[in-house]
Amino acid sequence: MSAVDELLAAVLAAAEDEARHDSSPTVEARHLLLALAGEPEAITQAVLGPVGLDHQGVRAALDREFEHSLSTVGFSPATYALPRPSASPDHPRLGSSAKLALERGFASVARKKDLRQAHVLLGVLRAEVGSVARALSLAGIDRSALVDRVREGLARSERPDGEEAP
């Protein structure tokens, strides 16, 4: 297995763990974001960390988005007890938002061997709709600024000496 395949397998395995934690039958973009927020990859941490999006911060933002979405239809988790989630499958399947995020991430590299976790993060952040976009908006985080920071980090990392462009 190539290094890229190992990287992708590790991200997907972590995202599957997040989906199982949520009792979700599918791995979605939110699970990819949670998985990436828990990884030590330098660009990902440099982008997410300063805006409070470590694993716990991402989880809190997604929880706020869930509560906000419920409130738009007149439901408050504080007023009503939610039923316990049903058991999730051992291997949640890849959901449409995760597939689209991965496609966007893959499209941002010329060659598969150049793929890094930051490209997957880029694919997640570039979604203009969905729970991740809503969660970041509700948290007051400028998603387009994060996208720019990921791109800058990737451009810096691709330079042989890693220094800033003039």
Side-chain angles (χ1 to χ4, degrees):
M1 188 182 298
S2 73
V4 170
D5 292 331
E6 288 177 16
L7 172 142
L8 191 54
V11 169
L12 290 175
E16 272 190 20
D17 288 344
E18 295 295 343
R20 277 192 293 279
H21 177 270
D22 287 349
S23 296
S24 175
T26 56
V27 174
E28 298 295 346
R30 66 181 179 265
H31 301 119
L32 288 171
L33 182 58
L34 283 162
L36 292 165
E39 291 291 322
E41 198 267 335
I43 297 171
T44 301
Q45 293 309 310
V47 170
L48 298 178
V51 293
L53 291 177
D54 58 5
H55 187 269
Q56 184 177 347
V58 170
R59 175 68 67 190
L62 290 168
D63 288 347
R64 278 191 303 277
E65 184 277 329
F66 180 69
E67 289 177 12
H68 181 267
S69 293
L70 290 176
S71 73
T72 62
V73 294
F75 184 85
S76 169
T79 306
Y80 301 100
L82 291 173
R84 293 183 52 109
S86 58
S88 63
D90 288 339
H91 296 289
R93 59 181 165 57
L94 205 54
S96 59
S97 66
K99 288 177 185 177
L100 290 170
L102 291 171
E103 286 175 13
R104 286 188 298 270
F106 293 165
S108 66
V109 293
R111 301 172 303 192
K112 179 184 172 188
K113 71 177 189 167
D114 295 332
L115 186 72
R116 299 183 51 196
Q117 288 180 357
H119 292 105
V120 176
L121 178 59
L122 190 60
V124 171
L125 294 174
R126 286 184 54 220
E128 304 218 1
V129 296
S131 61
V132 171
R134 285 190 307 272
L136 295 178
S137 177
L138 286 169
I141 296 171
D142 183 350
R143 192 177 41 78
S144 62
L146 292 181
V147 167
D148 291 343
R149 291 185 63 204
V150 173
R151 287 183 175 144
E152 290 166 8
L154 285 166
R156 239 186 340 270
S157 72
E158 291 169 358
R159 291 189 198 94
D161 55 10
E163 62 184 50
E164 298 281 334

